[in-house]
Amino acid sequence: MRKFIPVLLIIFSFFISADLSAQDLLSAKDLSTVKVDDLSEEDVAQLQAELKAKNVTVAQLEPMVLSKGMSSSEFNKLKKRLESSLPTKTKEPVGRSQEKVLNSKEKDSTDQEIFGSELFDKPTLDFQPNLQLATPVNYILGPGDELQVSVYGVQEYNESLPVSVEGKVNARNVGQVAVAGMPIEAATEKIRSAFSRIYSTLRSGQSQLSVSLNRIRTIKVTIIGSRLPGNYSLSSLSTVYNALYLGGGPAANGSYRNIELIRNNKVFSYVDIYKFLVNGNQSGNIGLKDNDVIRIPAYSHRVTVKGEVNRPGIFELKQGETFNDLLSFAAGFDASAYRAAVNVIQKTSKELKVTDIKSSEFGTYTPQPGDEFTVSKILNRFENRISIEGAVFRPNTYSFYEGMRIADLLAKAEGLKEDAYIKRATIVRLKDDLTMEILNVNLERAVAGDAAANIGLKREDKVKVYSILDFKEEYQITINGEVNKPGTYEYHDNLTLNDLLMEAGGLMVSAARRVEVARMIQAQEIDNNPAKVQLFNIEIDPASNEQVKNFKLEPFDVINVRKMPVYEKPQSVLIKGAVAYPGSYVLSNKSEKLYDVIQRAGGLTSVADPNGVKIKRPIGAKQIEALDDVNLNLGKGDTVQNKLTRRLEEIQYATIPVELEKIIRDPKHNTNITLLPEDEIEVSLYTENVKVRGNVLLTSEIPYVSGKGFNYYLDAVGGLDSKAWKKKAYIIYPNGKASVTSNFLFFKSYPKVTPGSQIVVPEKPETKKVSIGEIVSIASVLVGMAGVVIAITR
C-alpha cells in the first residue's frame, strides 16, 4: 500500500474541500506518468469514495484527466476498474436520471372493436421519453431540474446545480443565476456570462464551460375522460401520447378525434389520434408542462364498418368527412370485396332504414351517427367464363366474348389432338332458368367451315371433346405358371406369346415345353357348341424363352406355362443327438424311412438311449386351416375347436415317438415311418435318473432303481402338495410317448417307470362347492317333480 501513496497523492491532491479552492477536482498539472495497473484495489476504492463525495461521475472525470495529460488507454483502464468496483445496487446509471414515476398501467380489453383502442392496450407501447438522448435545445428549465456545470482547461470546476423553487442555481464562488423559464441553450449562455466574472480563462478561451441536464424534474398532469382519469406524475420530457397511455386512453364513450390540451385555463391544442394511426403523423404529440390538463370529451359521431374491409371496426368521424375518409380509416376494401355498392343501415328518429351507396357516391356520402356499413363479398361466379376439356392440346378455362363460336374456342385450345373423335362433341349449357341442356356439334364440319355446324357459344358453356380411346375397351391378358412374374398384363395389337413371355420376366427353370393358351369363343348367334373356350397347345424352347412358331395373342387370352413332370428340388431332414454323424440329410427318395437315415448317420453312439428316439414334425399352416374347415358339431359358441387351433399355433411341432429296438428287430414296424421334409430326428443321451415335477413338494431328479414303482419316486421328492391330482398323474418316456394312470374299480394302475422318463403330477382343477341354499333349491325342485309324477300315475 505504501508504494502507491505517491501515485494516489498525485491523483487525489486536487480533490480538496470547497472552501479551500475553486479548483477542487484537478489541482495537479501533470497526470501523464500515472499507471493505473500499479493501483491496488484499496486505492481504487478510495478514489471511488472521493468521486462519490464530490458528486463526480466517471463520465465527468474523463475531460478533466485527459486535459492533464492522462492517455486515453490509461483512462479506459481506470474507468473499467472504477465501474467494476461499484456494488451492483449502488452503480450510478449512465446518462440523465429522473425521479421514479410510480404510475401503473393495466391492460384493458374492453371496446376492442373501437379503432384506436389497441394503441393503449399494448404493454410494449408506452411513448416513454428517452432520457439518454441529447438535451433538447427548446427544453424549458424549471424547479426540480438539475444542471451539471463543468469548467475544464486551465481552470477547473465541476458541480451539480439543482434549480431551486425560486428558479435559480447557486454556484460556489459565483452566486445565484436565474434560469427558470429559459431554454437550455439560453440558460447556458447566462451561466457562461456569470462564470466568466470568476473564471477569467473562459473569456480568453483557455478554459471551456459545458452545461448539461443531469436530472430532470417531474411534472403533474391531470387527465379527464380517460379509462383511468386522475392526476399523474410524469417526466418533464413527456408528451400528450405518453400521458394518454398512462390514463388508459379514452373511456368507452370518449373521443379519439377531439382531445383537448388545456394550458393556463385555455385550450392550447386539439389532438386527433387518427392522424397518428392512419398516417403516422405525430404533430399532435406535443410536450407537456406542469399543471397541464388533458380533457377527453364524449364522442359525437361513430359508425361501424363490417365485412370485406382490411380493418373492420367502430370508427369516429368528424364533421364533413365522407365515406371515402371512412374507407381509408378501415384500410380499404380487401381482395374479395364487392365494390360496386355498400349497404348501410341507418337509424332514423323512429326506426331503422336501409340504404345502398353506389361507388359513384363514395366521395359525397356523409355518414350519419350510428350508421352500420356492411361490405359484402363478390359473387362466386364469372361474367365471361367458358371451358373446354378432352382431346384438345390445351384444355382449360378461357375468356368468353360475344360472337364466339366453337371453332374460335378450338383455336384458343390450340386445336384437336390426333385421337379426337371429330364426329361429335357435346356442349353443356346453362339456360336462363338455371337448368342444364346438352347440345351436340359435329367438329369435323365445324372446323371445315360449315356455318351451321360452327354454332355460337354462350357464357358458362362447357365443351367436351371426346377421344377415340374413350370408346376402346381396356383389353387384358393373363399368364400363369412357370414364369418369373405371373399376372395380368395390358393387351396391345400384334402382341405375341414371345412378347408376353419377355414382359412376364421370362421362363423359370422348371418350365416345361408345353404351353396352353385358352381363348374365349365369340359368336353373334347362339349355337349348341358346349365348349366355353378354345384351347391351343404350343411347343416352346425353355432355354431361349422363344416359341417354335410365333403365336399371335388376342384379348383376354389366358396362358398357362406348365411345370416339368419331373422337377423337384432336394429336400432334407435333420438328425441330432447321440448319433455318429449328426446333421442335415437329403431325402434320397420319397419313401425313405427313419431307420435308413439313422443308418446313414452312422447309427447310435455308445451313450445313446435306444428308447429315447423321437421325431419332431412341423405343424404347417395348411394343417391349421384344415382344422378350421372341420365342423366338429359341438354347438354354437363352443370354444373347443378354437382352443385346438390356438394349441396347434403355439406348439409348432408334433412329436412322434419311435421304438427303435423294435424297428431293429423288424424294419417293417409301424414306428419306422416315412420321413417328410423338415422332420427333425432327436436321439437322446442315456440317463439313469427319473425327473419328477408338477404338484410335488420338491421338483427333482431321482436315480433310477430297477423294480421301483410310481409311488417310490413320488415319496422320494417329499410326496404331493395340497393341489396335486394324483389319479391324473402321467409319465413321459424319453421317446416322447406318454402313459397315464388307469383305474379299474377301486384299483389304480400306475405306468411303468423307466430310466430317463419324467413323472408329471398335474394340478387338481378348482370345483365350486354346493351351498346349503343350492341344496335346498335342488331338493325343492325334486319334491315338486315327485308330486307331478304321483299326480300323473294316479
Side-chain angles (χ1 to χ4, degrees):
M1 178 65 186
R2 291 182 177 179
K3 64 180 181 179
F4 296 118
I5 292 177
V7 179
L8 292 174
L9 290 175
I10 295 175
I11 298 177
F12 295 139
S13 59
F14 45 82
F15 294 106
I16 58 177
S17 59
D19 56 351
L20 294 179
S21 172
Q23 305 178 27
D24 59 333
L25 292 180
L26 290 176
S27 59
K29 299 297 183 181
D30 187 11
L31 297 178
S32 60
T33 59
V34 175
K35 299 297 183 182
V36 177
D37 292 336
D38 296 335
L39 299 178
S40 66
E41 294 299 327
E42 291 79 3
D43 299 332
V44 176
Q46 185 177 353
L47 177 58
Q48 183 62 51
E50 290 290 339
L51 292 175
K52 186 175 181 181
K54 298 299 182 181
N55 199 20
V56 177
T57 65
V58 178
Q60 295 165 355
L61 179 63
E62 182 178 7
M64 302 178 190
V65 296
L66 292 180
S67 65
K68 293 301 180 180
M70 179 179 284
S71 65
S72 298
S73 60
E74 288 297 322
F75 175 76
N76 289 334
K77 294 180 182 179
L78 179 62
K79 178 181 179 181
K80 185 179 295 184
R81 294 192 64 182
L82 287 172
E83 291 179 346
S84 63
S85 65
L86 286 173
T88 303
K89 294 184 179 180
T90 60
K91 282 189 177 182
E92 295 184 8
V94 179
R96 188 177 300 119
S97 62
Q98 180 200 357
E99 179 184 352
K100 188 174 181 181
V101 179
L102 300 177
N103 290 330
S104 61
K105 172 68 179 72
E106 296 181 359
K107 188 178 186 306
D108 192 346
S109 58
T110 59
D111 300 325
Q112 289 186 348
E113 293 185 357
I114 300 176
F115 178 58
S117 62
E118 71 278 2
L119 186 67
F120 305 103
D121 287 338
K122 301 293 182 183
T124 56
L125 181 66
D126 58 3
F127 301 98
Q128 186 70 27
N130 187 355
L131 300 180
Q132 308 308 321
L133 295 177
T135 305
V137 294
N138 60 346
Y139 181 78
I140 306 299
L141 295 173
D145 288 334
E146 185 178 89
L147 300 178
Q148 185 69 40
V149 181
S150 299
V151 177
Y152 54 92
V154 176
Q155 294 176 298
E156 281 80 24
Y157 172 90
N158 188 73
E159 190 176 8
S160 296
L161 304 178
V163 180
S164 66
V165 293
E166 291 83 8
K168 299 177 181 180
V169 294
N170 187 11
R172 187 174 359 101
N173 300 327
V174 176
Q176 294 185 346
V177 181
V179 294
M182 301 177 63
I184 188 70
E185 188 175 10
T188 300
E189 293 302 321
K190 190 171 183 180
I191 293 172
R192 186 190 305 277
S193 176
F195 270 68
S196 297
R197 294 193 297 268
I198 305 301
Y199 296 91
S200 58
T201 55
L202 286 174
R203 292 192 298 270
S204 63
Q206 293 176 297
S207 297
Q208 303 294 326
L209 179 138
S210 68
V211 177
S212 61
L213 190 60
N214 189 41
R215 188 177 183 87
I216 60 177
R217 68 186 183 276
T218 299
I219 61 176
K220 297 289 185 180
V221 175
T222 303
I223 305 178
I224 303 172
S226 64
R227 287 195 181 104
L228 302 172
N231 295 322
Y232 288 85
S233 298
L234 303 173
S235 163
S236 56
L237 294 176
S238 298
T239 62
V240 172
Y241 287 177
N242 179 228
L244 288 173
Y245 176 83
L246 293 174
N253 62 344
S255 171
Y256 286 77
R257 310 290 306 276
N258 295 297
I259 300 174
E260 300 173 355
L261 174 60
I262 300 174
R263 183 171 294 168
N264 298 326
N265 298 322
K266 295 181 180 179
V267 178
F268 180 78
S269 176
Y270 289 96
V271 180
D272 185 353
I273 299 178
Y274 278 24
K275 290 182 179 180
F276 173 70
L277 293 173
V278 178
N279 303 316
N281 185 346
Q282 295 197 65
S283 59
N285 190 22
I286 60 179
L288 297 173
K289 289 189 176 182
D290 201 15
N291 295 322
D292 276 355
V293 176
I294 299 176
R295 177 180 173 270
I296 305 175
Y299 73 87
S300 61
H301 192 171
R302 276 185 185 174
V303 298
T304 302
V305 180
K306 300 179 180 179
E308 306 307 310
V309 292
N310 290 309
R311 189 164 51 208
I314 300 173
F315 300 89
E316 183 179 350
L317 298 178
K318 285 185 174 182
Q319 188 70 26
E321 289 181 332
T322 64
F323 179 77
N324 274 338
D325 298 317
L326 176 61
L327 195 60
S328 67
F329 298 154
F333 295 113
D334 68 12
S336 60
Y338 176 66
R339 310 185 184 202
V342 173
N343 178 273
V344 56
I345 298 177
Q346 298 175 328
K347 296 179 176 63
T348 65
S349 58
K350 294 183 178 180
E351 55 191 356
L352 300 177
K353 176 183 177 182
V354 178
T355 303
D356 294 325
I357 307 173
K358 298 181 180 179
S359 58
S360 59
E361 301 172 344
F362 288 173
T364 57
Y365 178 78
T366 302
Q368 302 300 313
D371 278 1
E372 186 175 307
F373 296 87
T374 301
V375 180
S376 58
K377 285 187 176 182
I378 57 175
L379 298 177
N380 187 20
R381 56 181 293 180
F382 294 84
E383 64 179 20
N384 64 338
R385 179 176 63 176
I386 195 169
S387 62
I388 185 171
E389 61 180 13
V392 292
F393 284 103
R394 292 193 180 276
N396 207 337
T397 299
Y398 294 96
S399 61
F400 168 78
Y401 57 86
E402 290 295 334
M404 177 182 283
R405 295 185 174 273
I406 189 68
D408 301 326
L409 182 58
L410 290 174
K412 280 180 174 284
E414 297 192 2
L416 299 169
K417 295 175 70 174
E418 294 82 358
D419 61 328
Y421 181 68
I422 59 177
K423 295 297 183 181
R424 177 181 297 181
T426 60
I427 302 174
V428 179
R429 176 164 294 174
L430 184 68
K431 296 195 296 185
D432 295 338
D433 59 358
L434 301 183
T435 58
M436 310 297 292
E437 67 174 341
I438 294 181
L439 305 177
N440 295 316
V441 56
N442 188 312
L443 295 179
E444 183 179 22
R445 293 169 53 193
V447 173
D450 188 337
N454 191 19
I455 63 176
L457 300 175
K458 292 186 177 182
R459 180 178 66 88
E460 293 295 328
D461 276 356
K462 295 180 181 179
V463 180
K464 175 66 181 275
V465 179
Y466 297 99
S467 168
I468 57 175
L469 302 178
D470 297 335
F471 312 133
K472 186 176 181 181
E473 184 180 1
E474 292 185 2
Y475 293 155
Q476 293 179 335
I477 201 164
T478 303
I479 184 169
N480 298 316
E482 302 304 300
V483 292
N484 289 305
K485 295 186 291 184
T488 301
Y489 293 88
E490 186 177 355
Y491 174 81
H492 305 289
D493 291 341
N494 300 319
L495 180 68
T496 65
L497 179 58
N498 287 341
D499 301 327
L500 182 60
L501 290 175
M502 294 298 101
E503 194 170 355
L507 296 169
M508 299 177 68
V509 179
S510 58
R513 294 183 178 181
R514 181 178 177 182
V515 175
E516 183 182 80
V517 179
R519 179 169 295 166
M520 69 177 183
I521 298 174
Q522 303 180 50
Q524 294 288 343
E525 298 179 358
I526 299 176
D527 57 15
N528 295 323
N529 185 4
K532 294 184 178 180
V533 295
Q534 184 179 3
L535 297 178
F536 300 90
N537 289 315
I538 302 168
E539 292 287 333
I540 62 171
D541 181 7
S544 62
N545 289 325
E546 295 290 337
Q547 63 192 69
V548 177
K549 183 180 179 181
N550 197 18
F551 184 79
K552 187 176 180 181
L553 299 175
E554 292 187 4
F556 307 110
D557 280 355
V558 178
I559 297 93
N560 286 287
V561 180
R562 303 300 181 187
K563 189 176 182 179
M564 289 182 185
V566 181
Y567 182 85
E568 189 170 351
K569 294 180 180 179
Q571 295 177 311
S572 302
V573 296
L574 180 66
I575 183 169
K576 56 185 179 179
V579 292
Y581 304 104
S584 178
Y585 288 84
V586 176
L587 295 175
S588 60
N589 55 71
K590 294 183 179 180
S591 60
E592 188 161 13
K593 301 290 186 176
L594 166 68
Y595 189 66
D596 298 332
V597 175
I598 292 178
Q599 291 296 100
R600 289 170 60 186
L604 274 61
T605 64
S606 59
V607 296
D609 185 359
N611 296 320
V613 181
K614 57 186 174 183
I615 299 172
K616 293 175 65 177
R617 178 163 292 173
I619 298 176
K622 291 183 178 180
Q623 293 173 277
I624 299 175
E625 292 176 1
L627 179 61
D628 289 338
D629 293 338
V630 174
N631 185 5
L632 299 180
N633 295 320
L634 296 176
K636 186 176 181 181
D638 193 275
T639 59
V640 172
Q641 187 163 354
N642 293 333
K643 289 181 179 179
L644 288 174
T645 302
R646 288 197 300 270
R647 181 69 173 165
L648 284 177
E649 292 174 348
E650 292 172 0
I651 294 176
Q652 296 181 346
Y653 287 95
T655 301
I656 304 174
V658 176
E659 297 181 14
L660 186 61
E661 292 181 345
K662 294 181 179 180
I663 294 175
I664 294 173
R665 292 194 298 268
D666 180 13
K668 294 183 179 181
H669 191 268
N670 60 354
T671 60
N672 189 21
I673 64 173
T674 302
L675 296 177
L676 298 179
E678 298 184 6
D679 279 354
E680 291 185 10
I681 305 168
E682 289 188 5
V683 180
S684 303
L685 296 174
Y686 181 78
T687 177
E688 296 181 349
N689 296 334
V690 176
K691 180 180 289 187
V692 183
R693 60 188 178 91
N695 289 84
V696 293
L697 294 181
L698 178 64
T699 298
S700 181
E701 291 189 13
I702 307 302
Y704 173 75
V705 179
S706 179
K708 295 295 183 180
F710 207 81
N711 290 324
Y712 167 79
Y713 296 98
L714 293 180
D715 294 338
V717 295
L720 307 177
D721 63 15
S722 59
K723 295 184 178 180
W725 199 7
K726 185 178 179 181
K727 68 178 183 179
K728 292 297 182 180
Y730 59 93
I731 188 168
I732 302 175
Y733 294 106
N735 66 349
K737 187 176 180 180
S739 181
V740 299
T741 302
S742 60
N743 297 303
F744 179 73
L745 298 179
F746 300 102
F747 302 98
K748 288 185 176 65
S749 177
Y750 295 104
K752 181 180 178 181
V753 181
T754 62
S757 59
Q758 298 183 50
I759 298 174
V760 182
V761 181
E763 181 179 341
K764 186 182 298 182
E766 294 183 2
T767 56
K768 183 181 178 182
K769 295 183 179 180
V770 181
S771 64
I772 297 176
E774 291 174 334
I775 294 175
V776 173
S777 299
I778 295 173
S780 299
V781 172
L782 293 176
V783 171
M785 292 178 62
V788 173
V789 172
I790 292 172
I792 293 175
T793 56
R794 283 183 177 178

